[in-house]
Amino acid sequence: MIFFEINNPGLFFVCVLIFFAAVFLRYLVSAGIFYWYYYRLKSEKFRNKRLSKRGFRKGQLKKEIYWSMWSSVIFGFFGALTYFLWQKGFTAIYLDLDKFGLWYLPVSFILLSLLHETYYYWVHRWMHNPKVFRKIHKVHHDSLVPSPWTAFSFHPWESLLEAVVVPLILLFLPVHPIVIGVYLIFMTLSSVINHLDIEIYPKVFMKSRLGKMFIGATHHHFHHAEFKTNFGLYFTFWDRLMNTESRSKVSSE
């Protein structure tokens, strides 16, 4: 069911505002809960578990929220654009669950994740080219010590690169809105957890064969500390295949 048809620029602008509000609120709630719990309510308990020895820079958290707001604007624009393209029949998004069966829901989630992972890994490595880094990726790495608020803290050019991939995938990969919704929540929570600077996954899991496939705060901590390692988004397989996984991370397992 289409709630409203985007048939003029005014309605498209309203749609952008709605998507922006949804994205920014999701970011504020997710990052806010993790920051409140680990850095306020239980700060003493987790102080010694922080992965970085230094503290946050003066004014860092405010800057991260500022850049995240603009990232949310860009994400909201592409969300509205995807909604518009779906209305016009240009995407592979489908509504009838019987079209592919329930079994396809987790399969499409995995395919979407793997395609996104592959795109992100190579774009992320490209952004660490010195000339590109200064113009696009430096804003994110101004957070030498990541925080939950770092999750969406990108320069607008980087936000654009981040925002375009999922809509492009949805042009050809059949995905149900349920999967899209779950994936967006997963994407936000994963980014917040990976930037937490406190490893919350159990050591038993992280040392297991399955656990070593996933990126957590420890893995991403070394990316912010070393700059030239650990470029993955959700999974470690590209870093392992391309020999870009941090030796420090491996030795800490």
Side-chain angles (χ1 to χ4, degrees):
M1 179 180 179
I2 299 176
F3 294 99
F4 65 89
E5 185 80 26
I6 302 178
N7 50 23
N8 62 61
L11 284 177
F12 183 79
F13 178 72
V14 170
C15 194
V16 170
L17 288 178
I18 293 172
F19 275 87
F20 158 71
V23 172
F24 194 48
L25 180 62
R26 189 172 72 237
Y27 159 78
L28 290 175
V29 171
S30 300
I33 289 175
F34 277 87
Y35 180 78
W36 170 77
Y37 182 79
Y38 288 97
Y39 286 89
R40 293 297 186 215
L41 183 66
K42 300 291 183 178
S43 61
E44 293 300 321
K45 177 181 178 180
F46 291 102
R47 187 181 303 278
N48 294 329
K49 295 185 178 182
R50 295 178 188 176
L51 298 166
S52 302
K53 301 303 180 184
R54 69 181 78 183
F56 300 132
R57 287 179 167 181
K58 183 178 180 180
Q60 174 183 328
L61 304 185
K62 290 182 180 179
K63 288 181 180 179
E64 289 174 342
I65 295 172
Y66 169 80
W67 287 115
S68 297
M69 178 189 68
W70 287 110
S71 296
S72 298
V73 171
I74 294 171
F75 296 159
F77 172 82
F78 277 91
L81 179 62
T82 304
Y83 182 76
F84 171 79
L85 292 173
W86 168 66
Q87 285 187 337
K88 301 302 179 183
F90 293 120
T91 73
I93 298 171
Y94 67 98
L95 297 181
D96 185 3
L97 286 171
D98 294 329
K99 185 174 183 179
F100 294 99
L102 294 178
W103 67 269
Y104 181 70
L105 294 179
V107 171
S108 62
F109 183 94
I110 293 170
L111 290 174
L112 179 58
S113 302
L114 293 176
L115 289 169
H116 191 179
E117 177 71 37
T118 300
Y119 168 89
Y120 181 85
Y121 175 85
W122 291 105
V123 169
H124 195 184
R125 282 193 66 174
W126 172 75
M127 287 193 295
H128 276 262
N129 177 295
K131 293 182 180 179
V132 178
F133 180 87
R134 289 191 294 269
K135 296 178 180 179
I136 297 179
H137 199 41
K138 182 178 179 298
V139 164
H140 186 69
H141 276 279
D142 281 343
S143 301
L144 296 176
V145 177
S147 80
W149 304 106
T150 315
F152 281 12
S153 182
F154 309 122
H155 185 280
W157 284 118
E158 181 172 357
S159 296
L160 183 65
L161 290 170
E162 296 270 6
V164 71
V165 57
V166 172
L168 284 176
I169 294 172
L170 294 178
L171 293 179
F172 63 87
L173 179 69
V175 182
H176 192 275
I178 291 176
V179 174
I180 297 173
V182 172
Y183 186 75
L184 292 175
I185 294 171
F186 164 74
M187 185 165 56
T188 301
L189 289 176
S190 175
S191 187
V192 169
I193 291 171
N194 292 348
H195 288 93
L196 185 59
D197 204 49
I198 298 169
E199 187 59 73
I200 65 173
Y201 297 130
K203 287 185 179 180
V204 174
F205 172 73
M206 296 301 292
K207 291 182 178 181
S208 68
R209 182 174 297 182
L210 177 63
K212 289 180 179 180
M213 295 171 57
F214 292 93
I215 290 172
T218 304
H219 191 279
H220 199 65
H221 156 77
F222 286 111
H223 174 71
H224 277 259
E226 299 174 348
F227 280 58
K228 296 182 179 181
T229 61
N230 295 3
F231 297 102
L233 180 62
Y234 307 124
F235 310 110
T236 61
F237 66 86
W238 275 117
D239 279 312
R240 293 178 183 273
L241 286 172
M242 303 309 299
N243 198 31
T244 56
E245 187 166 42
S246 171
R247 293 183 181 275
S248 301
K249 190 268 176 182
V250 173
S251 63
S252 69
E253 292 179 336

